[in-house]
């Protein structure tokens, strides 16, 4: 078939809501966009383990410690499914990890912010996972089959994380004066970076139109961001805390919240590597990978020896 | 009641041991040598936290008769170095992957034998916790044995590293079998079986059991290495800074 016809057949499938599978023909740009997005998502899960992993040793109760460990472990699991999904597009996990370490591949900028107090564990769960879920719920219906299926599993666990985060903040909000202050401070620091998680404005977003047409995405950055603001502006009332935006106001005519302008200069700077923890995050991932080199080599060497011995026995 | 006092001390010893090893293993989370193994060691950490909580909750009930404010958290977060009764081997730094693996193997092999014995005790709480935990412990033994073999019989570097780890750790294994006055399971009797199991894995891993090593002890009675103070400082920080707060 001519390329033109292949593309037409491909788009027809998408329009009919038929999932694209690894062995199906797909435009090169579709493969690339998916690979970029899925691997970026996988990297985000793995890098995202760092700011929360920080607090495992200091969690303030055994119950909270167990919940936090389970959460960070879930993220490692999500990373695994996502790397497997991305591998179906023809790039190895090893290559993707190298791209992360060299700076060629990106991960969610949110993880370049530091987790400074225990309340950050709650705020990350509630706001960061909350923002991620909106994106992920949409991705459960994305057109690439392996990605959509991975997202269904991930979404179930993520909504649990968000509830846990909110619950941790709720306890703080009813606690001592110091705990309340800790809670408000964490919300203040995580609010704007969470809004930035939805990416540039639709008018500035380069990949948006094609991704919508291919149903990789089904909602625009601005739509998702608005959904998030509307959700959090209501939930925060239950905490008795405030969001750090003087322009946040219910708009009766639009039936949604108006909110202030994001600091796009900060956004682009963090994307470009100038956030508070960009260097530390990548350094930590590289260190783990490099220090694990001899372990992986030993496992491989042993597996090969074992195989040879089995062969020798059979012969 | 000396019987209750011993039961309490022994339960705390079991809880502290599980907690401190969990605290150490938890340091690997997000820093493991490969994603699958990061998940595995974190899973073991979670199992150990679960065991610690079960033992602390039981210890809190043993306390209850005379003290109301004792909870799993007050036991874990508000006791000092001298009150902790964990095995010394648990508080040692993780070192490299070889040292972490070898410690897990020594410890889990011992814990499996201990839980087998506990299942036959006349304390129903211990029996219940041992029965629940032993399934996990079997997996910990299997996982760590496989890694000891892989590293011992892998590359020259991995063999050297695990040999070095053995040199560091062996002197802390004697404590498993030196009973404390409160200990209500006869641990001395577990030594032969433990040695046999270690030897079996070591043979396959091409490692040799050291001989004539002077054994370190003290943890069971609250005399620790210099490491424990640092571990507790991190573990207990929030509870110490904000006394009485709920989390």
């Amino acid at each position: 078939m001519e390329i033109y016809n292949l593309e037409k057949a491909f788009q027809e499938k998408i329009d009919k809501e038929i999932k694209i599978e690894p062995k199906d023909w797909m435009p090169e740009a579709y493969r690339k966009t998916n690979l970029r997005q899925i691997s970026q998502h996988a990297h985000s899960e793995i890098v995202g383990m760092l700011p929360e992993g920080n607090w495992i040793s200091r969690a303030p109760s055994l119950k909270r410690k167990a919940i936090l460990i389970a959460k960070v472990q879930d993220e490692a699991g999500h990373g695994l499914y996502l790397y497997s999904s991305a591998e179906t597009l023809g790039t190895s996990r090893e290559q993707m990890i190298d791209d992360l370490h060299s700076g060629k591949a990106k991960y969610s900028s949110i993880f370049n912010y530091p987790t400074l107090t225990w309340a950050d564990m709650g705020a990350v769960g509630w706001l960061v996972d909350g923002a991620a879920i909106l994106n992920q719920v949409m991705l459960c219906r994305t057109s690439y089959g392996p990605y959509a299926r991975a997202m269904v599993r991930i979404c179930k666990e993520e909504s649990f994380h968000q509830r846990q985060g909110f619950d941790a903040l709720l306890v703080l909000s009813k606690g001592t004066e110091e705990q309340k202050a800790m809670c408000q401070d964490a919300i203040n620091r995580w609010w704007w970076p969470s809004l930035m998680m939805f990416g540039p404005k639709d008018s500035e977003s380069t990949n948006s139109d094609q991704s919508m047409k291919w149903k990789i995405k089904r909602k625009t950055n601005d739509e998702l961001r608005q959904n998030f603001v509307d959700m959090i502006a209501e939930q925060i009332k239950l905490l008795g805390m405030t969001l750090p935006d003087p322009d946040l106001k219910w708009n009766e005519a639009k039936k949604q919240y108006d909110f202030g302008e994001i600091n796009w200069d900060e956004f682009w700077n963090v994307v470009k590597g100038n956030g508070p923890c960009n260097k530390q995050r990548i350094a930590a991932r590289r260190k783990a990978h490099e220090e694990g080199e001899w372990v992986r080599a030993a496992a491989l060497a042993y597996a090969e020896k074992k195989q040879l011995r089995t062969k020798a026995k059979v012969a | 009641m000396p019987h209750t006092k011993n039961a309490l001390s022994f339960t705390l010893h079991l809880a502290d041991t599980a907690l401190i090893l969990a605290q150490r293993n938890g340091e690997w989370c997000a820093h493991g040598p490969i994603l699958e193994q990061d998940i595995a060691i974190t899973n073991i950490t979670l199992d150990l936290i679960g065991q610690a909580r079960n033992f602390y909750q039981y210890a809190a009930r043993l306390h209850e008769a005379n003290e109301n404010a004792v909870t799993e958290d007050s036991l874990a977060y508000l006791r000092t170095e001298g009150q902790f009764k964990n095995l010394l081997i648990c508080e040692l730094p993780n070192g490299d992957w070889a040292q972490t693996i070898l410690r897990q193997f020594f410890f889990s092999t011992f814990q499996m034998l201990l839980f087998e014995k506990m299942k036959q005790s006349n304390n129903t709480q211990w029996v219940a916790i041992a029965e629940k935990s032993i399934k996990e412990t079997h997996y910990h033994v299997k996982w760590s044995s496989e890694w000891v073999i892989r590293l011992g019989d892998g590359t020259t570097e991995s063999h050297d590293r695990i040999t070095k780890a053995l040199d560091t750790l062996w002197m802390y294994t004697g404590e498993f079998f030196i009973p404390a006055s409160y200990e209500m399971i006869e641990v001395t009797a577990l030594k032969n079986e433990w040695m046999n199991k270690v030897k079996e894995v070591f043979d396959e891993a091409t490692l040799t059991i050291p001989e004539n090593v002077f054994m370190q002890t003290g943890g069971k009675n609250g005399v620790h290495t210099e490491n424990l103070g640092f571990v507790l400082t991190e573990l207990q920080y929030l509870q110490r800074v904000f006394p009485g707060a709920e989390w």
Side-chain angles (χ1 to χ4, degrees), chain B residues 30 75 140 144 147 201 223:
Chain B
L75 292 170
H140 305 168
S144 58
W147 269 106
V201 171
V223 183

Side-chain angles (χ1 to χ4, degrees), chain A residues 45-61:
Chain A
E45 298 283 354
I46 302 309
V47 176
M49 293 166 73
L50 294 165
E52 291 181 287
N54 262 340
W55 280 90
I56 288 175
S57 65
R58 291 175 290 172
S61 73

Side-chain angles (χ1 to χ4, degrees), chain B residues 3-4 6-8 10-11 14 55 58-59 61-62 117-131 184-185:
Chain B
H3 184 75
T4 311
N6 284 346
L8 177 61
F10 186 45
T11 305
L14 297 165
F55 284 123
Y58 176 48
R61 277 173 42 199
L62 288 172
K117 268 271 192 289
M118 273 178 79
K119 277 164 65 181
Q120 295 149 24
S121 95
N122 51 17
N123 180 316
T124 53
Q125 278 301 314
W126 289 344
V127 172
I129 300 172
E131 276 177 351
M184 297 171 94
I185 303 276

Side-chain angles (χ1 to χ4, degrees), chain A residues 37-38 41-42 45 78 81-82 85 132-142 144-158 216:
Chain A
Q37 196 174 321
I38 304 170
H41 193 163
E45 298 283 354
H78 297 172
Y81 316 151
L82 287 163
S85 298
I133 288 168
L134 286 176
N135 205 19
Q136 289 166 351
V137 165
M138 168 188 79
L139 289 170
C140 291
R141 294 167 56 233
T142 191
Y144 187 57
Y147 192 23
R149 289 188 289 272
M151 287 324 302
V152 172
R153 287 180 72 174
I154 290 172
C155 275
K156 284 183 193 150
E157 291 174 352
E158 288 292 351
I216 296 174

Side-chain angles (χ1 to χ4, degrees), chain B residues 141-162:
Chain B
V141 171
K142 181 175 183 286
W143 178 82
S144 58
S145 305
E146 286 170 2
W147 269 106
V148 168
I149 294 166
R150 240 176 242 136
L151 298 182
D153 192 21
T155 60
T156 315
E157 180 176 6
S158 68
H159 184 86
D160 290 349
R161 281 178 182 263
I162 200 159

Side-chain angles (χ1 to χ4, degrees), chain B residues 187-201:
Chain B
V187 285
T188 321
L190 305 176
K191 188 170 177 180
N192 277 342
E193 211 177 326
W194 184 84
M195 286 293 270
N196 289 340
K197 177 75 189 157
V198 169
K199 185 157 184 334
E200 196 183 300
V201 171

